[in-house]
Amino acid sequence: MKLQELKNIDIAGKRVFIRCDFNVPMDEYNNITDDRRIRSALNTIRYCVDNDCSIILASHFGRPKKKFDPDFSLKPVAKRLHTLLKQEIKMAEHIVREETIEIAKNLKPGEILLLENLRYNDGEKNNDPEFAAKLASMADVFVNDAFGVSHRAHASVEGIAKHFDVNSKAAGFLLAKEIKFFHHIVHEPKRPFVSIVGGSKVSGKLEALYNLVPKVDKIIIGGGMAFTFLKALGHEVGNSLVEEDLIPEAIRIMDEAKKLGVKLYLPVDVVAAEAFDAEAIAKHVTVQEIPKNWMGLDIGPASAQLFSLALRDANTILWNGPMGVYEMDKFAKGSTKVSHAVASSFATTVVGGGDTADLVRVTGDEDEMTFISTGGGASLELIEGKILPGVKALVIEED
Ligand code: AMP
């Protein structure tokens, strides 16, 4: 798959529309609490500024229930961009009204206009052709740098791309980097290739599991999803998270791994609690001894040790999903130990998924990872082997 990249198209002096992912976390006072997504877009924006482009930036933010809800305005993002880029960031009240399009058309080289939250307009999610056409009319060139939404066929991601020919649209630096990493890891990983899969449910990652098993040498399963597998093996798991209807799928995945000689690891011990509560009484038990009415909320120390040992010879590690309810300190130890083990390995380490990215920041291992993906859903779909709609629009050659 060959992606059209920003560095390969002529943008000098042109009007460039850049779809970014500025969906940053904010506190109740609308303060940005983590501006990584904004900083990740700076390379592409600066490159366009340096090429004398006039720039239109666009992003969604959260899920506004009503139009122009001020809590979902991108104004705080404009302020942060101003601080980081040290230049004025213009904003327009509306997204695709005539006056906004006029402002876009009258931008001078190097000037930046940030559109309001795209999700104020229903046309964004519905991939409305008229909305996409109006967005497209603002620019000569379309750049997608929003990996986190590239798995969605939304107007500013997919519909808009139809209005530009192959030399007038491209992947920004961030998107290109994300796609390259995942393409490399899924198609030509250095072996042994170990995948760690965690998080709450099997259902959310079933296809990813099916796609990973034939590709990896080892697969480590932790988090809530491990209990469906443990139950499938006949363990009594109390009130732990189990998807009964997926037990046959769990058996199929384990059989497939066995058939292919892939080593599959499950927790051997857990931290169990009486309730899903940070204050609940908890104890460390083997998976054979989870008390009735108790639930496993983290992997235990023996499992963390086992998983770390399994990671020792890895040359590639792909990690998606925490090992326990890491949001509560009491149940974060397993994820923390696995994070340290991944960080201290000599492997190429790719961390995908919002939760896991968050986790490695909290554990202080962020800088030790080779690559942290900005998109959870999008990275899972790449692992599932899908072509993302936002990426398909920018492909010049299929494999
Ligand atoms: P996901 O979005 O599927 O990656 O799941 C992430 C969530 O899984 C986190 O919010 C964790 O709290 C949750 N999680 C991890 N382990 C467990 C568990 N043993 N029981 C319930 N929830 C869990």
Side-chain angles (χ1 to χ4, degrees):
M1 184 183 77
K2 191 160 188 288
L3 204 60
Q4 181 65 286
E5 291 185 37
L6 180 56
K7 65 177 192 304
N8 297 330
I9 62 169
D10 175 20
I11 59 163
K14 294 188 177 163
R15 270 183 296 136
V16 180
F17 182 105
I18 312 177
R19 176 49 158 111
C20 301
D21 180 3
F22 293 147
N23 191 26
V24 288
M26 288 193 200
D27 65 15
E28 66 265 43
Y29 308 109
N30 284 4
N31 293 309
I32 297 169
T33 50
D34 176 6
D35 67 0
R36 241 170 342 145
R37 284 189 167 160
I38 302 177
R39 283 184 284 117
S40 314
L42 295 182
N43 273 350
T44 296
I45 301 173
R46 284 201 178 108
Y47 179 80
C48 293
V49 171
D50 291 348
N51 275 282
D52 296 323
C53 300
S54 22
I55 298 156
I56 299 117
L57 301 177
S59 174
H60 69 291
F61 174 60
R63 294 191 168 91
K65 301 234 162 29
K66 56 180 195 295
K67 278 190 181 177
F68 302 107
D69 180 342
D71 283 343
F72 291 89
S73 168
L74 281 176
K75 281 185 184 132
V77 171
K79 275 195 187 155
R80 186 60 56 96
L81 279 168
H82 167 75
T83 311
L84 294 167
L85 290 166
K86 300 186 180 62
Q87 75 171 85
E88 185 200 354
I89 307 294
K90 294 180 192 289
M91 277 202 86
E93 287 277 306
H94 297 278
I95 306 167
V96 288
R97 284 230 186 127
E98 213 36 63
E99 60 257 36
T100 309
I101 297 174
E102 269 314 293
I103 300 175
K105 289 195 168 159
N106 290 323
L107 288 172
K108 296 194 183 68
E111 285 190 337
I112 299 179
L113 166 70
L114 170 65
L115 300 183
E116 255 303 358
N117 188 351
L118 291 168
R119 288 201 184 151
Y120 281 161
N121 190 309
D122 293 338
E124 168 63 357
K125 275 187 153 185
N126 301 335
N127 203 4
D128 174 30
E130 207 179 311
F131 182 62
K134 282 187 179 160
L135 292 175
S137 74
M138 295 184 200
D140 313 308
V141 173
F142 168 63
V143 174
N144 181 355
D145 215 15
F147 177 67
V149 282
S150 287
H151 59 312
R152 311 244 184 248
H154 290 171
S156 67
V157 177
E158 205 259 349
I160 187 174
K162 297 191 177 116
H163 296 268
F164 298 86
D165 66 33
V166 69
N167 294 313
S168 310
K169 58 183 171 185
F173 297 125
L174 176 65
L175 178 67
K177 192 167 148 193
E178 297 258 10
I179 299 293
K180 264 190 206 151
F181 257 101
F182 278 99
H183 198 262
H184 181 77
I185 212 167
V186 173
H187 295 281
E188 48 210 53
K190 280 221 175 69
R191 297 186 176 276
F193 176 16
V194 186
S195 178
I196 310 168
V197 188
S200 55
K201 291 182 175 173
V202 181
S203 47
K205 291 177 188 159
L206 191 61
E207 281 201 53
L209 284 168
Y210 274 123
N211 205 42
L212 277 172
V213 168
K215 295 197 165 80
V216 298
D217 300 290
K218 306 182 193 184
I219 186 157
I220 294 173
I221 299 177
M225 67 160 62
F227 294 99
T228 301
F229 286 85
L230 290 169
K231 181 107 193 235
L233 290 174
H235 292 291
E236 191 40 71
V237 297
N239 281 345
S240 306
L241 197 65
V242 169
E243 288 167 286
E244 295 283 349
D245 53 328
L246 291 183
I247 289 179
E249 303 279 359
I251 293 172
R252 271 181 59 196
I253 290 168
M254 289 189 282
D255 284 348
E256 182 72 5
K258 203 169 179 184
K259 205 174 84 200
L260 296 169
V262 171
K263 291 156 190 89
L264 188 142
Y265 294 84
L266 287 167
V268 290
D269 61 341
V270 298
V271 178
E274 280 185 308
F276 190 89
D277 190 319
E279 305 301 326
I281 294 175
K283 64 179 175 186
H284 165 213
V285 291
T286 64
V287 293
Q288 287 78 1
E289 296 178 25
I290 300 173
K292 247 191 174 157
N293 303 327
W294 286 51
M295 58 184 80
L297 295 179
D298 192 11
I299 59 167
S303 309
Q305 178 85 34
L306 173 74
F307 294 174
S308 304
L309 258 175
L311 289 170
R312 222 171 247 181
D313 65 345
N315 270 318
T316 308
I317 300 173
L318 175 65
W319 182 13
N320 188 306
M323 297 290 100
V325 184
Y326 75 100
E327 297 93 334
M328 303 179 193
D329 283 348
K330 221 177 212 172
F331 311 112
K333 288 199 180 78
S335 300
T336 305
K337 285 181 186 161
V338 169
S339 170
H340 293 339
V342 173
S344 58
S345 79
F346 294 102
T348 300
T349 50
V350 177
V351 177
D355 280 320
T356 326
D358 245 11
L359 175 71
V360 298
R361 203 153 25 91
V362 175
T363 58
D365 292 324
E366 188 179 22
D367 292 341
E368 303 298 326
M369 303 299 179
T370 314
F371 185 66
I372 298 176
S373 171
T374 54
S379 62
L380 266 184
E381 291 201 11
L382 282 181
I383 298 168
E384 285 165 15
K386 293 186 182 145
I387 298 197
L388 315 182
V391 172
K392 194 165 186 217
L394 309 171
V395 167
I396 3 184
E397 273 170 39
E398 302 277 352
D399 276 339

